[in-house]
Each structure stands twice: as structure tokens, then as C-alpha cells.
Amino acid sequence: MKQILLSCAFALAAFPALAEIVVEPGEARISRPGAPSGAAFLTVTNTGDLADRLTGARTDAAEKAQLHTHVHEDGVMKMLHVEDGFEIAAGESLALERGGDHVMLMGLAPLDPEGTLNLTLIFENAGEIEVELPVALPR
Ligand SMILES: [Cu+2]
């Protein structure tokens, strides 16, 4: 076991991380207890030297987790599925927040309003990063 751990450490040292991503959890917002959909909000900061891209997300709590943005069309606010994801330049942050970009949760299992949601974010370079978001109802 000790040997395996050591060889892992060497492997990591041999391939320095090209993209370093820091995720600051926001919340998993639902409109009411038991709501079948919701949105996840958080901030992603790229502290590395290369651009990275958030390409998707998933959670055991929802059938689908999609990257969405809001657009104004003829005076109406609409949500769009952003299939290419969001690029995060080196040193930049991406805020997923109310009224803007967000992770849409569809086919949501009833969430405990006092509980948390585990969300896996998928990045082109940084791979998968798991984040725990507190569930939030409208204030
Ligand atoms: Cu949406």
C-alpha cells in the first residue's frame, strides 16, 4: 500500500497541474420543497496559467445538470443551454449566479431544505471537481 501511494506522488510530480481551479460553493436553489428543478450557484476561479473550460456537471440528485445562461430576447428573459460550456481564462473567475449563468438541475429528487447537494463539475483540463452546496429556498 505504501508503495502505491509513493508511485502516485511521483506521477503527480512528473505532470505539474496545468490548470488549477478553485470552486467557491454558493447554493442549490429550489423554489419550494420538493420542486422538480432548481439551479446551482457557485464561483469558479482559475488560478492556473492556462485557460480552462467548464464543460458540464452532474449530480446523483438530478436526472440532468446542464450549463445554462440567460438571454434577453424581445424583452423576454430566456434560459439557454450552453453546450460548449464556459471558458475561464487564466486568473479569471466565472460566477454562476442568479439571473446569469447557472447549473440547471432537472428531474430533481426531493431535496432536504436543510441539507446539501453534491455536484460534480467537469472541466476540460482540471477534470472533475466535486462541490457540496447548501440547499436554499427563496428568502
Ligand atoms: Cu436554467
Side-chain angles (χ1 to χ4, degrees), residues 118-136:
N118 287 322
L119 185 70
T120 302
L121 299 169
I122 305 157
F123 295 89
E124 206 165 69
N125 295 324
E128 299 190 354
I129 296 177
E130 202 166 306
V131 61
E132 191 177 18
L133 304 170
V135 175

Side-chain angles (χ1 to χ4, degrees), residues 68 79 102 104:
H68 275 196
M79 291 198 295
H102 56 279
M104 192 82 198

Side-chain angles (χ1 to χ4, degrees), residues 38-39 66-70 79-80 100 102-106:
Q66 287 184 344
L67 301 177
H68 275 196
T69 192
H70 277 104
M79 291 198 295
L80 273 188
H102 56 279
V103 179
M104 192 82 198
L105 307 169
M106 288 167 287

Side-chain angles (χ1 to χ4, degrees), residues 44 46 50-54 86-90 92-94 123:
V44 178
N46 182 354
L50 285 180
D52 204 343
R53 180 174 285 275
L54 176 61
F86 303 114
E87 187 177 271
I88 312 151
E92 298 284 309
S93 288
L94 167 73
F123 295 89

